[in-house]
Amino acid sequence: MMKSLIVQSRKHYRRFYRLVALAVILMTAVLTGSLLLGDSVRGTLVQRVSERLGKTETIITSGTGFMSETLTQQPLLKHAKGYLLMDGFVSVDEKLLPVYVWGTDDDALSPGEVMVNDPLYTKLSTLNSQFSIFNSQFSTLVLHLPTHNLVPSGSLFVSKSYATQMRVQVVGVKPVEDGGNLLLKNEQTLPLNIFVNRKYLAEKMELEGKINMILSDEMIDEEELATCWAPEYSGLHITDTTLTYDGVFIPQDIVAKSQISTFSSAKPNLKSQTIYLSYFVNDLIHQSDTIPYSFVTAVNEWQGEPLDGQDIILSDYASERLHVHEGDSIHMSYFITKQLKNLDTSEQTMRVKQIVPLSAFQDDSLLMADFPGLTRVEKCTDWDSDLPIDMNRVHQEDEDFWHAYRQTPKAIVSYEAVKSDWSNAFGNATAMRFTPQTSTFSSAEPNLKSQISYRIFSTLGLPRKLTPSDANVQLYHPRAQGLKGAKGGVDFASLFLSLGFFIILSAILLMKNPLVELFTLRRSEIQLYQQLGFKDKDIRKGLFREAFSVIFLASPLGVIAGLAYSSLTLWLLGNVWSGATHTEGFALHIQPLTLLTGWIVALLISAITLWFVVRNILNPQPSYRIFSTLGLPRNFSHHPPADHHPDSPQFHFLPQHGAVHCLWTFMGMRLGTFSPYEGRASIRSIHRWHDESHPTYMDFHPCIHEATPTGLLDTFPGCLHGFCRGIEPS
């Protein structure tokens, strides 16, 4: 019988239950969709880590420098692959498209042939509708590469321009599973990759035999790398007495490890130690004579004698042009850069300590550093540098000197005087010379001689061994770092739930209001059940079952709507809002546990809301609830007690209760605690008492009689005013 009654009631009151079902669908969709969005964003980030790294577990990079390709022949790296990675541009329909250029040995590419990844192929096809790998006429690209060399492009003297060009033909698209989306940066955007034959790329870049990246499918730690690494693999050239570097500027850690002053307890087998730092200065000035644009080298000692303070040693060529003698002062100006290559000019006044023949400078090759763009040219006017060089200041005598002596320095200065100005992020020396106490290595140390990392640092008595990190060789495990960042970052489910909180709250209110209206309209029906002998507990249970059946049937539709909501949001994040997310191609990741969690949570919230509504519908009338809450007598008579005199203070007690009741009922209707129907019935109960006991309350009547669910709220202030005015003593 109860089941049939529930079905009939649900059918009869379907206009209310449609609103309830709509609210449940909305709430379930937002809850489930938010949880799915959290899983999908996190799953996409994890997927991107696998896509951009392939099977790579360990990356060995040389920073701004390069490594020898022979390093990959070590047993530890037999399964590793060496790459030459460059950034470049592709010319497409008069536009330059930035790309990553990978010099690789994997794809059996012939010189002039390249492969691209799918995002780059899509981009090329979009910019040029005729582009196709199946038509050689429309698959040719012009690749612009930087004029790279062994000197870091960020240093002061090197100009970074994309003057190297390669005309290449696209012969295929490299799939994701083969490393097509390879990207070492911890970014979520899909890279634009182009893969070239490594040897062909190295030849074009004048980097034969060099790599700057090693990728391994195995986990390798720094201690293991140190066992197979030697300084020569990173471009450090160490002889019995000298140390130079392919990148010109020797890293500061290496310079620090090689200085005698850092070993307080050691007794190195060194007679002397010379540090060289070459630089390009703007002017050497003495009175009215000037030599523009010269190479000058800073040293800490010269021919066994230290250079201190503001000492400068001039070549005879420079002294003749400047007309100076020993003890004279000259001014030296040069460019310096501190941050972001912001150029400034600095000057120093130097004291001429000695004048020597220019041939003395020529005999020491370490005094001359090789700066590409400045030293590998035939004329001064061919200098290619980021420095603002004024070629109008270069005269014929400067060209004659360059033709005869190239980058031979015209002077040497004290290393300590210019060290802070001339050092940079890449190093603070261009060469080092070590003079041992004995002229030859000990015959008892043949093994040490064969180990380059010890040839100076052990044989000369310096106890520290070079490590890969000293040469800026870095090792890291990108997969572990990427997965940690993808899984342990922002809780996206909580983020989307927070964004949808007010929608969920609105859905709860949208469900509650029809239920309150429904059960209020059925108050006479509920009273009939009570008169027939049904217990309040059974009535509540029946009403709950009736409404919850609608909630339960509507919630699966909410789960389906949640799938649609999450799919739409992911599409918007990857397309319309990609500029804000910097991520493309979000994928929907459906986890059954997530769907079940969202469904159950939505049911629980709906059930709790329904329970509160059903519980309150059978509670005492609002007047009793209010009076009890305020600590006032729960019941009052429509007529004052006979023993109460109208002028007694107690007479005003019940009317004041009525005013509080009226005010509380009004607030309840405003906040949704009572329906307008409840509020109107509550106020009418007070009105009846007023009407029967005090005729002066008649000005309150029109407000009550004309009250409607909407009008009651509008006329309430006037009602309250009339009520309070009526209780004043006459």
Side-chain angles (χ1 to χ4, degrees):
M1 177 180 177
M2 182 61 71
K3 181 178 181 180
S4 175
L5 186 62
I6 290 175
V7 172
Q8 293 299 322
S9 297
R10 197 169 59 204
K11 181 178 180 181
H12 181 72
Y13 295 108
R14 57 183 176 273
R15 65 189 182 95
F16 291 97
Y17 284 128
R18 287 195 189 105
L19 294 176
V20 173
L22 178 62
V24 172
I25 291 173
L26 177 61
M27 179 174 57
T28 307
V30 175
L31 278 171
T32 308
S34 298
L35 296 176
L36 282 174
L37 284 170
D39 286 350
S40 299
V41 172
R42 185 177 294 104
T44 299
L45 297 181
V46 172
Q47 180 181 341
R48 288 291 168 82
V49 172
S50 300
E51 286 183 3
R52 65 184 177 84
L53 295 177
K55 299 179 180 179
T56 303
E57 295 290 344
T58 303
I59 294 179
I60 303 172
T61 176
S62 58
T64 57
F66 297 90
M67 299 176 288
S68 172
E69 63 182 4
T70 57
L71 179 58
T72 57
Q73 299 174 4
Q74 293 292 322
L76 179 66
L77 303 175
K78 61 182 179 181
H79 299 299
K81 299 175 182 178
Y83 293 88
L84 187 59
L85 176 62
M86 300 285 173
D87 57 341
F89 293 91
V90 171
S91 299
V92 184
D93 195 22
E94 299 182 354
K95 297 180 180 179
L96 291 178
L97 191 65
V99 296
Y100 293 105
V101 182
W102 292 85
T104 176
D105 300 324
D106 292 345
D107 304 307
L109 295 170
S110 301
E113 294 181 345
V114 300
M115 295 183 72
V116 298
N117 66 338
D118 186 67
L120 178 56
Y121 183 77
T122 302
K123 198 82 170 180
L124 293 173
S125 301
T126 303
L127 295 175
N128 185 357
S129 58
Q130 294 183 332
F131 180 82
S132 174
I133 60 174
F134 303 106
N135 189 336
S136 59
Q137 181 180 357
F138 300 107
S139 62
T140 302
L141 298 175
V142 177
L143 185 60
H144 301 265
L145 297 170
T147 53
H148 221 298
N149 46 65
L150 297 176
V151 182
S153 58
S155 58
L156 181 63
F157 307 111
V158 178
S159 174
K160 185 175 183 179
S161 61
Y162 291 82
T164 303
Q165 295 185 358
M166 296 170 53
R167 184 171 292 275
V168 295
Q169 182 176 353
V170 181
V171 296
V173 177
K174 193 166 186 175
V176 174
E177 53 271 20
D178 292 340
N181 290 345
L182 191 61
L183 178 64
L184 304 184
K185 296 180 179 179
N186 194 14
E187 297 177 354
Q188 307 307 326
T189 54
L190 296 175
L192 304 179
N193 289 338
I194 184 167
F195 299 89
V196 189
N197 180 281
R198 183 178 62 82
K199 293 184 178 180
Y200 178 65
L201 178 62
E203 180 183 350
K204 289 291 185 179
M205 301 295 295
E206 299 182 1
L207 296 171
E208 290 87 346
K210 299 294 183 180
I211 57 177
N212 57 4
M213 198 75 59
I214 297 177
L215 308 184
S216 175
D217 299 346
E218 300 176 347
M219 294 292 291
I220 302 173
D221 59 33
E222 294 183 357
E223 293 181 358
E224 292 176 326
L225 177 62
T227 60
C228 68
W229 178 86
E232 62 180 354
Y233 292 133
S234 295
L236 283 166
H237 302 285
I238 304 176
T239 66
D240 291 347
T241 58
T242 63
L243 186 153
T244 56
Y245 184 50
D246 282 342
V248 178
F249 296 103
I250 302 175
Q252 297 185 20
D253 289 342
I254 296 178
V255 176
K257 279 191 174 184
S258 64
Q259 292 187 28
I260 305 175
S261 59
T262 61
F263 308 105
S264 58
S265 60
K267 295 181 179 179
N269 183 29
L270 284 176
K271 181 179 180 180
S272 62
Q273 180 186 62
T274 307
I275 302 175
Y276 298 80
L277 179 57
S278 296
Y279 209 78
F280 187 76
V281 302
N282 299 338
D283 295 290
L284 293 174
I285 305 172
H286 176 66
Q287 296 180 356
S288 61
D289 298 314
T290 301
I291 301 178
Y293 303 126
S294 306
F295 280 96
V296 175
T297 301
V299 296
N300 62 323
E301 65 172 26
W302 172 251
Q303 296 180 349
E305 294 186 11
L307 266 69
D308 300 320
Q310 303 302 110
D311 289 343
I312 184 172
I313 299 177
L314 286 180
S315 64
D316 53 2
Y317 171 84
S319 66
E320 290 177 4
R321 286 191 60 177
L322 294 175
H323 304 96
V324 297
H325 304 281
E326 292 184 7
D328 291 343
S329 296
I330 66 172
H331 297 282
M332 179 176 65
S333 68
Y334 47 84
F335 289 119
I336 58 173
T337 178
K338 296 300 181 182
Q339 295 178 350
L340 302 177
K341 299 188 72 173
N342 293 326
L343 284 177
D344 196 3
T345 302
S346 180
E347 295 184 358
Q348 290 204 42
T349 300
M350 316 298 292
R351 180 183 62 85
V352 179
K353 180 180 181 179
Q354 188 178 357
I355 298 175
V356 299
L358 183 62
S359 58
F361 293 165
Q362 289 181 286
D363 293 340
D364 190 349
S365 61
L366 298 185
L367 288 172
M368 293 170 278
D370 184 13
F371 295 104
L374 290 177
T375 59
R376 303 179 186 180
V377 296
E378 296 296 326
K379 298 181 298 181
C380 296
T381 51
D382 293 336
W383 284 335
D384 182 16
S385 173
D386 284 344
L387 298 175
I389 299 176
D390 183 4
M391 292 301 174
N392 293 326
R393 300 184 59 210
V394 178
H395 303 293
Q396 186 59 44
E397 54 186 336
D398 300 309
E399 291 285 7
D400 294 340
F401 180 89
W402 183 262
H403 180 73
Y405 305 107
R406 296 302 173 97
Q407 68 264 35
T408 301
K410 297 183 177 71
I412 58 176
V413 297
S414 168
Y415 179 76
E416 292 300 326
V418 297
K419 175 184 176 181
S420 60
D421 286 345
W422 291 8
S423 299
N424 56 59
F426 307 105
N428 56 359
T430 53
M432 299 185 72
R433 184 185 300 279
F434 305 90
T435 305
Q437 296 285 0
T438 57
S439 59
T440 59
F441 289 108
S442 171
S443 60
E445 298 171 332
N447 292 331
L448 294 180
K449 292 176 62 177
S450 64
Q451 299 179 33
I452 291 183
S453 61
Y454 284 105
R455 290 184 63 178
I456 289 179
F457 292 92
S458 289
T459 304
L460 296 179
L462 302 179
R464 297 187 181 182
K465 178 184 177 181
L466 295 181
T467 62
S469 60
D470 293 332
N472 296 326
V473 176
Q474 303 295 327
L475 179 147
Y476 61 99
H477 303 106
R479 184 178 302 278
Q481 297 175 4
L483 292 177
K484 181 180 179 181
K487 295 180 179 179
V490 177
D491 186 354
F492 292 99
S494 299
L495 177 62
F496 286 110
L497 282 173
S498 300
L499 294 174
F501 171 76
F502 289 103
I503 299 178
I504 297 173
L505 183 61
S506 300
I508 294 174
L509 296 177
L510 182 62
M511 179 180 65
K512 174 182 174 294
N513 289 339
L515 289 173
V516 171
E517 296 293 336
L518 170 62
F519 294 144
T520 302
L521 288 177
R522 298 173 64 180
R523 191 176 294 280
S524 58
E525 177 187 341
I526 294 171
Q527 292 175 354
L528 178 61
Y529 291 150
Q530 291 173 332
Q531 293 174 3
L532 291 174
F534 285 92
K535 297 180 180 179
D536 288 353
K537 178 181 178 181
D538 295 331
I539 296 174
R540 288 191 183 96
K541 184 177 180 181
L543 294 175
F544 185 89
R545 289 177 57 187
E546 176 186 320
F548 188 75
S549 62
V550 175
I551 293 172
F552 186 82
L553 293 174
S555 57
L557 297 178
V559 174
I560 297 174
L563 290 170
Y565 160 67
S566 56
S567 299
L568 176 62
T569 305
L570 290 174
W571 182 84
L572 291 173
L573 288 173
N575 294 275
V576 180
W577 301 327
S578 60
T581 61
H582 300 287
T583 307
E584 301 176 358
F586 284 100
L588 180 63
H589 290 72
I590 301 177
Q591 301 290 339
L593 181 60
T594 300
L595 294 177
L596 183 62
T597 301
W599 180 56
I600 292 177
V601 171
L603 283 179
L604 287 175
I605 295 176
S606 301
I608 292 172
T609 304
L610 175 60
W611 180 79
F612 273 105
V613 174
V614 172
R615 187 197 67 170
N616 291 336
I617 203 65
L618 291 179
N619 276 354
Q621 292 294 323
S623 58
Y624 297 122
R625 300 204 305 269
I626 296 172
F627 276 57
S628 175
T629 303
L630 295 176
L632 304 176
R634 294 177 60 86
N635 299 307
F636 61 88
S637 171
H638 292 296
H639 301 280
D643 57 347
H644 279 195
H645 191 277
D647 294 331
S648 65
Q650 289 83 0
F651 175 77
H652 300 284
F653 186 72
L654 291 179
Q656 290 171 359
H657 286 181
V660 174
H661 183 156
C662 203
L663 176 60
W664 191 267
T665 303
F666 171 72
M667 293 174 61
M669 287 187 290
R670 279 293 188 185
L671 298 175
T673 306
F674 314 134
S675 72
Y677 300 101
E678 287 183 293
R680 184 171 61 181
S682 179
I683 295 178
R684 278 176 173 170
S685 68
I686 304 174
H687 161 65
R688 285 196 299 271
W689 181 81
H690 294 160
D691 190 25
E692 296 171 4
S693 304
H694 302 279
T696 57
Y697 296 108
M698 290 305 294
D699 55 353
F700 188 74
H701 293 182
C703 172
I704 299 297
H705 291 302
E706 297 178 5
T708 62
T710 303
L712 181 63
L713 303 181
D714 298 331
T715 60
F716 179 78
C719 297
L720 185 60
H721 173 71
F723 187 92
C724 297
R725 183 166 53 84
I727 65 173
E728 296 177 356
S730 57

